[in-house]
Amino acid sequence: MKNYRLIRVALAFLLVQMFIVPQMVIAQTADVYAAIRKEGMENSKIMNTMHYFTDLYGPRLTGSPNHKNAAQWAADEMKRWGFDFTGLEAWDFGHPGWANDRNTGVMLSPVADTLTYEVLAWTPSTKGKVTSDVVSFVVPQFPAPENPRVMQNPTQEELTAYFDKMRSSVNKKIVIYGQPTFIDQSTPQTPKRIPDDVIKCRMDPTKTPADCGPGGFGGGGGGGPQRVTPRPNALTGQQLSDQVDKFFLDNKVLVRINESQLDRGAVRAFNNRTFDITKVVPTVVMRNEDFGRIYRLLQHGTPVRVEFDLKSHIIPEGKTSFNVVGEIWGSDKKDEVIMLGGHLDSWHSATGATDNAIGCATMMEAARILKAIGVKPRRTIRVACWGGEEQGLLGSQAYVKQHFGSFESQTADFNKFDGYFNIDSGTGRARGLGVFGPPEAASILRAALAQFSDLGFAGVQASRSRGLGGTDSTSFNQAGLPGIGGSQDPIEYFAGTWHTNLDTYERIIEGDVKVSAIIFAAAVYTLAMRDQMLPRFAADQMPPPPSPTPTPTPSATPRP
């Protein structure tokens, strides 16, 4: 009888474990999700974080004091929120930093006007105030026989002949380079939201891109550029650029004016690709409207006189850059890590709000929410705000290599890494996720986040691509680790704020970014509390790393 009673007690205990305990866990998880929503909506710190990142520390060019100061502020702020560890991790940028101090540019005649432009990064200052008539410099190009809209570069002989023709004209002058871009004002603006049926289709694992209408999963449209027969002996784009740079230097050009190629006053200025200010002349990127005006005046025989005063400086210590790290330590699985982040560096034309201060602010907020509601994660939660993303994912690449290695060359922590969540496409709310891993990995996150469909979240897709590019999650994918990227409503990102002088605090939609933080907090909580880590590809199923390919330097340029 005694043994029988013991068996009955054991069976009863087993029934509790099988049926009651899971229900308790589900109820507890639902309560946490509700607390995440409440904290994220009612006590959000995102806009305060954005104020500091943009208004006080923007722009945050890699290697600049602003970037380092923003990174230190982020570490200090996470410490104030009660994170268990925060700090900066140094990595080798390999180039000195550069900062734009101040600049002015005006048209003096035939009418007086202020010009709108941005200085190209890692280009030199002018020697004080410089004034001259403007010279138009248009390298000869030739329409492809198959498609006259595709322009092909000159041969060496043709370029040399043009240099000889222009040498005396450009000497010690301000030069406007190229022709203005025609922007068709009848083209409809890009929609700001992804329709619900489209995003649901994109996140449906049973669908293909062809099922989801124009643009498929990627949201684009149309085919690639038409192939044309290469022009015999035409210079590559790189060869042409190198020779033009040297020609302008040799002829002491005072200022080079490039065109933005963008609409509605937007300017997108990147950098001198060599990062060496001795190899280029002072250079600005001017808005399409001002550039076109000057060009047309010159074409009609009206002299244009302009004045520039550009001042910038090199920062030698900028060769060392930084990633920000903040941690909430786990309990029984503390040595296993879940990461979330975005890149903190920005270009210098504005204050880098949508690209990508908002990514860092969102992920900091997601972790803060979990801390604020008292979550005790089993795994360690680690926030990272990267440097050097804009120069080629350099900060995240350095971090992954140091801490995890790759599938082919693993560190001790490679198999203790559970996943990295990333967001980097502006202010639009997260509508879906893409995870590098087998379908089971996507299924786990899809099921956990299904209850956020009322916030516009549509699902999770699995990916097999280890290709590097676009954003920092691909640094993890390339290593064979679960990078998890957000798919967002586009709002005005690629159509307006991406890398432009319009990318400021005012572009942030508070309601959208609150929703994104809530979704990522719930996703991180899900992984932090599971018994098992997120499924990965088995060793014999791991996709091979992509073969390294050189950056293309096409000799043909499409003409609008």
Side-chain angles (χ1 to χ4, degrees):
M1 289 293 292
K2 185 175 181 180
N3 288 340
Y4 179 69
R5 281 195 291 270
L6 287 173
I7 291 171
R8 289 181 63 187
V9 170
L11 287 172
F13 180 77
L14 181 61
L15 288 171
V16 169
Q17 296 297 311
M18 289 177 61
F19 299 106
I20 299 177
V21 170
Q23 295 302 315
M24 291 172 61
V25 171
I26 291 171
Q28 182 185 38
T29 299
D31 288 344
V32 172
Y33 285 167
I36 287 171
R37 285 185 183 241
K38 181 177 176 64
E39 177 67 22
M41 285 297 184
E42 298 180 7
N43 299 309
S44 175
K45 308 297 183 190
I46 284 185
M47 300 310 287
N48 182 68
T49 301
M50 285 300 297
H51 162 67
Y52 282 93
F53 279 164
T54 59
D55 297 333
L56 184 58
Y57 296 119
R60 303 169 306 280
L61 194 65
T62 301
S64 70
N66 272 14
H67 176 258
K68 183 177 180 181
N69 292 338
Q72 188 60 61
W73 181 88
D76 293 343
E77 183 75 345
M78 287 188 284
K79 178 63 73 175
R80 287 188 286 268
W81 290 344
F83 284 29
D84 296 301
F85 169 81
T86 67
L88 306 186
E89 289 196 16
W91 56 275
D92 182 14
F93 180 36
H95 307 289
W98 177 92
N100 184 25
D101 300 319
R102 59 177 175 81
N103 53 82
T104 58
V106 296
M107 183 192 296
L108 300 175
S109 66
V111 292
D113 199 5
T114 300
L115 302 171
T116 299
Y117 63 91
E118 298 293 336
V119 178
L120 195 71
W122 283 277
T123 56
S125 306
T126 56
K127 296 179 179 179
K129 190 179 294 184
V130 295
T131 304
S132 91
D133 289 341
V134 180
V135 175
S136 175
F137 189 93
V138 181
V139 171
Q141 290 188 311
F142 306 88
E146 300 94 336
N147 183 357
R149 290 169 55 85
V150 176
M151 300 300 290
Q152 297 181 300
N153 287 342
T155 64
Q156 183 62 64
E157 293 75 15
E158 291 164 340
L159 181 63
T160 299
Y162 185 69
F163 283 168
D164 291 342
K165 173 186 173 183
M166 296 297 296
R167 184 168 283 106
S168 61
S169 300
V170 303
N171 188 256
K172 297 182 180 179
K173 291 293 195 301
I174 293 173
V175 172
I176 187 168
Y177 181 78
Q179 296 173 300
T181 302
F182 170 73
I183 300 173
D184 187 352
Q185 296 301 320
S186 68
T187 303
Q189 291 189 351
T190 305
K192 296 185 180 183
R193 301 285 185 188
I194 304 173
D196 288 347
D197 60 333
V198 174
I199 190 65
K200 288 177 182 177
C201 181
R202 293 179 188 176
M203 293 298 134
D204 186 338
T206 68
K207 303 292 186 182
T208 68
D211 298 324
C212 300
F217 292 161
Q226 177 182 336
R227 293 185 178 276
V228 297
T229 303
R231 188 166 185 258
N233 301 317
L235 296 169
T236 66
Q238 186 70 63
Q239 291 170 331
L240 179 62
S241 295
D242 288 344
Q243 292 194 50
V244 170
D245 286 345
K246 186 176 185 303
F247 178 75
F248 285 173
L249 269 176
D250 291 345
N251 288 279
K252 299 179 175 57
V253 167
L254 299 176
V255 176
R256 170 176 172 168
I257 304 172
N258 295 337
E259 194 235 353
S260 70
Q261 302 180 323
L262 299 175
D263 198 7
R264 294 173 173 84
V267 177
R268 183 177 293 140
F270 293 115
N271 63 286
N272 158 29
R273 65 191 177 280
T274 71
F275 295 91
D276 185 345
I277 66 171
T278 68
K279 293 184 177 181
V280 291
V281 299
T283 305
V284 302
V285 181
M286 187 172 288
R287 69 172 179 169
N288 169 267
E289 295 84 350
D290 287 344
F291 186 100
R293 182 186 190 185
I294 293 172
Y295 179 86
R296 289 188 297 273
L297 286 167
L298 295 176
Q299 290 299 300
H300 282 77
T302 303
V304 178
R305 192 165 183 81
V306 298
E307 176 183 281
F308 283 97
D309 188 358
L310 311 177
K311 186 176 182 180
S312 58
H313 69 279
I314 285 294
I315 305 158
E317 61 271 24
K319 289 183 178 179
T320 299
S321 190
F322 301 91
N323 297 321
V324 187
V325 175
E327 292 184 342
I328 301 171
W329 290 339
S331 55
D332 61 312
K333 296 179 179 292
K334 180 181 179 181
D335 60 339
E336 296 177 2
V337 175
I338 298 154
M339 293 187 67
L340 65 165
H343 70 88
L344 186 57
D345 67 301
S346 76
W347 288 108
H348 56 292
S349 295
T351 57
T354 67
D355 191 19
N356 184 32
I358 193 55
C360 285
T362 298
M363 297 314 208
M364 287 170 60
E365 173 71 3
R368 185 204 67 79
I369 288 171
L370 298 178
K371 184 70 177 176
I373 65 175
V375 166
K376 304 297 182 185
R378 299 178 68 187
R379 294 180 177 85
T380 292
I381 297 169
R382 182 181 298 161
V383 178
C385 295
W386 312 110
E389 192 271 355
E390 298 293 6
Q391 289 74 41
L393 316 182
L394 301 182
S396 59
Q397 284 276 288
Y399 186 91
V400 170
K401 182 177 180 181
Q402 176 186 345
H403 289 270
F404 306 117
S406 68
F407 176 77
E408 291 75 21
S409 180
Q410 301 175 13
T411 70
D413 290 335
F414 184 87
N415 290 308
K416 296 179 181 179
F417 178 80
D418 201 12
Y420 166 72
F421 293 92
N422 189 81
I423 192 164
D424 183 21
S425 292
T427 189
R429 69 180 58 192
R431 304 294 304 279
L433 298 176
V435 54
F436 174 76
E440 297 85 352
S443 297
I444 289 167
L445 287 168
R446 187 184 305 117
L449 300 176
Q451 66 172 284
F452 295 96
S453 61
D454 63 305
L455 299 180
F457 189 79
V460 184
Q461 274 282 9
S463 168
R464 294 181 54 84
S465 174
R466 290 180 68 179
L468 181 69
T471 191
D472 292 295
S473 55
T474 64
S475 292
F476 293 83
N477 298 355
Q478 185 191 50
L481 293 166
I484 308 166
S487 178
Q488 300 169 248
D489 277 332
I491 308 298
E492 296 177 337
Y493 187 59
F494 290 112
T497 63
W498 180 66
H499 298 163
T500 75
N501 56 332
L502 307 180
D503 189 10
T504 63
Y505 178 98
E506 288 75 15
R507 305 285 86 78
I508 301 302
I509 300 174
E510 184 173 357
D512 275 29
V513 299
K514 284 181 176 180
V515 166
S516 294
I518 288 168
I519 288 168
F520 282 108
V524 168
Y525 173 78
T526 299
L527 298 194
M529 305 304 288
R530 295 183 74 247
D531 289 334
Q532 304 297 324
M533 293 201 305
L534 202 63
R536 296 189 189 181
F537 289 112
D540 61 344
Q541 297 177 357
M542 175 65 71
S547 301
T549 55
T551 302
T553 53
S555 61
T557 304
R559 182 174 65 187

